[in-house]
Each structure stands twice: as structure tokens, then as C-alpha cells.
Amino acid sequence: MQRSGERILTTHVGSLARPEALLDTMREKEHGRPYDEAGFAKQVTEAVRDVVARQAEVGLDVVTDGEMGKVSFATYVQDRLDGFSPSSGEKLLPPSWKLEIDAFPEYYEQYLGKYSKTVAPMVTVACVGPVSYTGQDQLRTDIENLRAALVGVEHTEAFLPSTSPRGFGRNEFYATDTEYYTAVAEALREEYLAIVDAGFLLQIDDPWLIEILSDPQLTPEERQHTAAEHAEIVNHALRDIPTEKIRLHTCYGLNHGPRVHDITMAEVAGPMLAIRAGAYSFEVANPRHMHEWTIWSDGALRKQLGDALLIPGLLGHAQNYVEHPDLVAEMLRHYVDAVGREQVIAGADCGFSSRASYQPEVHPTVVWEKFRALRAGADRV
């Protein structure tokens, strides 16, 4: 994994808006209706090519495929694992959301309505048999599309995101949830290894870590125990993969609301660093957490971080303001001063289209201007 030097490197979290024609085809595919398979494959290949070139054009150094072929950052994996069956249609709504919904019911009645603009709802699946990985063909396509798109494009490195082994299904087969998550992790290990073997950085998308630490159904002791167990399971799936090939992204989820019940980054940092990675991506532009750069002056936390990198999210993924480069630079300096220039890469809070949607929270034209502001801000540090 490359480190910043005189030039502070820039990156983002992964997902970007899909072209409308691709969304149209994906919608038919996700609803089980007839669609042009060859045409879909061509649309994805072209979308990856275009989005990689655009990332380089606006100054991003560490680029990715924008998750063009995935219906969401997490539930895409339902098509790549055996041992699951569709549930009764239960929608994925993390327990921590209930606190916010109960506090602001009128806001969330309106907010949740926007999901009608997604290609398909995020619903749970049930594990009803032994879990195994069956997504080799889809993964091979992801790898080949990104590799082809990078040809002739100036970039420092490239990464591919992959979900952590949690959050998309429930256990109805294994004796314990620990056994279930361990089995899912072992299956996903095949995807993790293939990404690294292809020469790309592996990014583990893990908003579920913060969900565990926020879960109102658990006692504080249970949250800490479950988070530690989660880290152990993820680490087992990542065993023998060099840490410098791994990025971990965690965030406060897709809940773009008041967020007055968010836990602090001080509560997240230790459990986050317990997952072995060479770089850690997290929210900063979120105004509930913008001030929390101060935690990185803590000696114990710095020791736990070691020589790993921080990727503070300096671009908000829930609003259409374009951050001023001076503000980006100001926030970035806090992290540079805390851990050193070589251990910081400038990033974004979260994906800009974590679900394939006709109406992502940030308009695609605004996203590209945000990336330009990120590059300009990084150049001022």
C-alpha cells in the first residue's frame, strides 16, 4: 500500500452512481424478469471504464470500479454464496435506526420513502444450509473489468471493495451465530484472497462494526464482547493476507438523518483497530464527528495504530454541498499533525451510491466536484 509523501494521496470509499441505462437493466435482473445478459455485461464493463477514467481525471490517486455491477455494497454477496434462501421479505433495518426513527418519526417517514428509487429493496436472506462461495464468475468479471479500465489511466493504486461477513442474512442453520458468521467469513475468504492475488488492494466494508457497538438491544458489555468476537472472525478470514494489502472501512451506515444517537469515534477506534488492516477509513465530514480528530493524540490509540494509515472521510456522503478546499486542508492537517504525513490518505465518509439508485443522496455531478475539492485541499497541506 502506497503512502503519502510530498503529495498527500487521495481516494474514496467505493460506490458511485450507476448510469441510468445500467440501472434499467439491473432493475429487470434483480426482479427476476427477462433481461439482456450480454447487454448487461457490456453496460457494466463500459461503466467501469468510464468511472475509472473520471476518477483519475478529477485527481484521485487510489481508484476503484465504483461497484458498477453491484446492486448494493452488501447484498450483492447474496448472489455469491450458497446455503441461503429468500426470507419472507424482511427489510434490512439495523436496530440502531429504531432510536432515531422513534425520535424523529416525521422525518423518517419522508426519508425512508426515497428507497422507492432504488433498483431493488435490501431484504434479508436466511441461512438454511452450509455456506460456500459460488461467486467465482462474478468476481472474475469484477477483476477483469477493473484491470481493463486501468490500462492507460494514471493512478497510484486500485482497490476492490468486499463486504464483511455480517449484516445481510440471518442464521437458521448453524447451532450458534458465532458458527454462522465464521462459516460466512470462511466462504468470503475466497473473494478476499482473489482480489489480493489479482494485484489489487482489498477493502473490507464493515459498517456492521459500528452497528454492533450501537445496538440498543445489547448491554454495553455485550456490545464489547460481540465487537471483539466480530473482529476475531474477520481477522480469521483475513489470515495470512499481508496487512498492507487490506483497507478497512467502517461508518455510521446509510442513515442520513439527525444522528443524535451516534456513538463517539472514541468508542469506535479501539474495536476498529482490532481488525487487522494497513489502513482505516472512517467518517469525519459528518458534523456529528468532525471534531473527533483529537482522539488520535491519545498515546495508547497511537500505539494500537502502529504504522497503519488513516483515511479520514473529508467529503460528506449525505449532503450536496461541495466542501471548500481550505476546509478539507484544515481537517486534513489535524490528522497529519496527529500521526504524520506518511500515515494519512484523504478520503470520503462513505460511498456515494451504496445502493444502486435512480436518486442517490448526492447528485453524481456534485460528487465529481467534491473529488476535485478533495484533491485541491490535499494539495494545500
Side-chain angles (χ1 to χ4, degrees), residues 67-374:
E67 300 190 289
M68 291 292 108
K70 296 177 180 176
V71 69
S72 89
F73 78 96
T75 56
Y76 81 91
V77 82
Q78 293 173 358
D79 292 333
R80 302 188 185 190
L81 294 176
D82 195 23
F84 290 86
S85 72
S87 70
S88 60
E90 173 190 355
K91 293 185 178 180
L92 281 172
L93 191 65
S96 66
W97 283 47
K98 190 175 187 308
L99 292 173
E100 290 277 300
I101 292 172
D102 288 348
F104 303 97
E106 294 87 358
Y107 169 77
Y108 280 100
E109 181 180 4
Q110 180 184 54
Y111 173 79
L112 293 173
K114 74 182 180 66
Y115 288 130
S116 64
K117 300 294 186 180
T118 58
V119 164
M122 289 178 69
V123 296
T124 60
V125 289
C127 177
V128 295
V131 178
S132 61
Y133 190 77
T134 58
Q136 291 85 358
D137 290 343
Q138 297 101 313
L139 178 59
R140 189 178 304 111
T141 296
D142 290 345
I143 290 169
E144 290 174 355
N145 280 340
L146 180 55
R147 183 176 285 138
L150 291 168
V151 175
V153 173
E154 185 176 352
H155 66 287
T156 300
E157 284 185 297
F159 72 95
L160 274 174
S162 183
T163 190
S164 75
R166 198 179 186 97
F168 53 83
R170 65 173 184 271
N171 175 33
E172 294 183 0
F173 176 77
Y174 291 91
T176 66
D177 282 350
T178 299
E179 291 180 40
Y180 162 62
Y181 290 127
T182 301
V184 174
E186 193 62 26
L188 285 174
R189 176 173 165 80
E190 184 170 344
E191 182 160 299
Y192 301 164
L193 287 169
I195 290 170
V196 173
D197 288 346
F200 300 126
L201 298 177
L202 164 67
Q203 178 174 289
I204 302 296
D205 285 333
D206 194 17
W208 314 111
L209 173 64
I210 292 182
E211 176 57 32
I212 291 168
L213 293 166
S214 307
D215 191 341
Q217 300 174 341
L218 303 178
T219 66
E221 294 75 18
E222 288 171 332
R223 291 174 198 162
Q224 290 299 318
H225 172 78
T226 305
E229 183 178 78
H230 173 69
E232 184 179 337
I233 290 170
V234 175
N235 285 340
H236 185 66
L238 295 172
R239 65 190 183 277
D240 302 325
I241 299 176
T243 55
E244 63 268 20
K245 297 293 186 181
I246 305 166
R247 299 171 23 152
L248 177 78
H249 170 69
T250 192
C251 64
Y252 293 82
L254 303 181
N255 177 3
H256 301 159
R259 305 282 286 274
V260 297
H261 296 94
D262 277 4
I263 61 174
T264 67
M265 190 62 198
E267 297 172 89
V268 172
M272 176 183 76
L273 296 178
I275 298 175
R276 54 184 298 273
Y280 297 90
S281 164
F282 51 91
E283 292 188 34
V284 172
N286 175 344
R288 298 292 300 182
H289 303 284
M290 193 179 291
H291 62 288
E292 293 184 316
W293 56 269
T294 55
I295 69 170
W296 296 103
S297 62
D298 178 82
L301 203 57
R302 284 286 292 108
K303 184 176 181 180
Q304 189 179 2
L305 176 67
D307 63 357
L309 312 184
L310 297 180
I311 308 178
L314 308 176
L315 303 177
H317 70 299
Q319 43 82 7
N320 282 272
Y321 290 116
V322 174
E323 291 77 1
H324 196 285
D326 285 346
L327 177 61
V328 171
E330 179 182 327
M331 293 192 293
L332 192 52
R333 284 191 193 98
H334 291 315
Y335 291 89
V336 168
D337 290 345
V339 303
R341 189 180 190 88
E342 291 187 353
Q343 283 185 249
V344 178
I345 294 177
D349 267 0
C350 194
F352 287 102
S353 188
S354 295
R355 300 173 64 174
S357 176
Y358 290 93
Q359 190 176 329
E361 279 80 0
V362 180
H363 194 276
T365 58
V366 178
V367 170
W368 298 114
E369 198 62 32
K370 281 175 172 279
F371 287 151
R372 290 189 179 93
L374 185 70

Side-chain angles (χ1 to χ4, degrees), residues 54-75:
R54 194 73 186 274
Q55 288 170 74
E57 177 190 328
V58 297
L60 292 177
D61 300 295
V62 187
V63 301
T64 189
D65 67 346
E67 300 190 289
M68 291 292 108
K70 296 177 180 176
V71 69
S72 89
F73 78 96
T75 56

